[in-house]
Amino acid sequence: MADTTGTAGPSDGAGDPLLARHSAALELFTDRVHAVGADQWDAPTPCADWSVRDLVNHLAAEQLWVPSLVRDGATIDSVGDAFDGDVLGPDPVTSWDTAAAASREAFREPGALDRTVQLSFGETAADFYCGQMIGDLVVHAWDLSRAIGADEKLPEDLVAFSVREIKPYAADLAKTGLFAPAVEAPQDADAQTELLSLLGREV
């Protein structure tokens, strides 16, 4: 289960620290999406072979999965390729905002975090899934910040949560082929550097 202890992010009225962190992570990434310049959508990112648009598209698709999995109890097979390919269309910022709102609302439904969702690796507690989504948003917010020249400093609470969330299974992520192998962080590394190093980012 996801760690819900400690100081939460900005209150979103949900009364649950995990949901507050999820909203804060969405807001963090949303802030970076809204900062993308018109000439930056094709710019490279720290994610190999991904442009800024590819990165935002990936995160938008991830958010679009949430209502199907959490609210509707769908499976990977039943959703199929509904969110494959381009989900941003001609207005990527608005498309991101719509996807982010859908994810937030699905996790905030009463009892949503107590459910079980069907992920690619099997049945998973919805609160653990929410924790994974938070870590994904936080790390990719750094990727997007670096790509567009925005502030790369991440909120300390979200970083600390993401380190605790990701560290237990970080070694398995590279085996999926979707993540770069971890890099060794300096001995005096701060929490943000530790997080980025766990996920193969060279700071």
Side-chain angles (χ1 to χ4, degrees):
M1 295 176 66
D3 180 0
T4 59
T5 61
T7 303
S11 174
D12 62 0
D16 185 292
L18 185 63
L19 292 177
R21 283 198 182 93
H22 180 248
S23 286
L26 282 171
E27 290 163 10
L28 173 67
F29 195 81
T30 295
D31 178 72
R32 299 304 189 268
V33 172
H34 281 252
V36 176
D39 61 344
Q40 292 183 310
W41 289 99
D42 292 326
T45 72
C47 301
D49 303 322
W50 276 3
S51 66
V52 166
R53 184 183 175 94
D54 294 331
L55 176 60
V56 175
N57 187 74
H58 167 72
L59 268 293
E62 290 289 305
Q63 309 319 306
L64 291 172
W65 273 94
V66 176
S68 295
L69 297 175
V70 175
R71 183 191 63 209
D72 303 334
T75 65
I76 299 294
D77 288 340
S78 66
V79 175
D81 61 0
F83 306 123
D84 288 356
D86 177 42
V87 299
L88 296 181
D91 188 347
V93 175
T94 298
S95 295
W96 162 257
D97 289 345
T98 300
S103 176
R104 179 184 287 109
E105 291 168 8
F107 275 125
R108 282 169 54 94
E109 285 187 1
L113 294 180
D114 297 324
R115 298 170 190 162
T116 298
V117 295
Q118 299 288 336
L119 301 183
S120 58
F121 48 85
E123 290 190 353
T124 305
D127 61 347
F128 180 81
Y129 176 40
C130 187
Q132 285 187 314
M133 295 291 280
I134 293 168
D136 201 43
L137 285 159
V138 172
V139 171
H140 284 314
W142 180 85
D143 292 328
L144 187 51
S145 298
R146 172 150 292 195
I148 66 173
D151 183 6
E152 295 180 11
K153 178 65 176 174
L154 301 170
E156 292 182 3
D157 176 64
L158 290 178
V159 168
F161 172 85
S162 298
V163 169
R164 294 194 302 271
E165 187 71 19
I166 294 171
K167 202 167 188 177
Y169 56 82
D172 295 325
L173 293 176
K175 298 176 185 176
T176 67
L178 299 175
F179 297 86
V183 298
E184 186 173 353
Q187 288 188 345
D188 59 349
D190 59 14
Q192 177 168 316
T193 301
E194 181 183 5
L195 173 64
L196 296 172
S197 297
L198 278 173
L199 295 173
R201 271 64 172 178
E202 297 279 359
V203 180

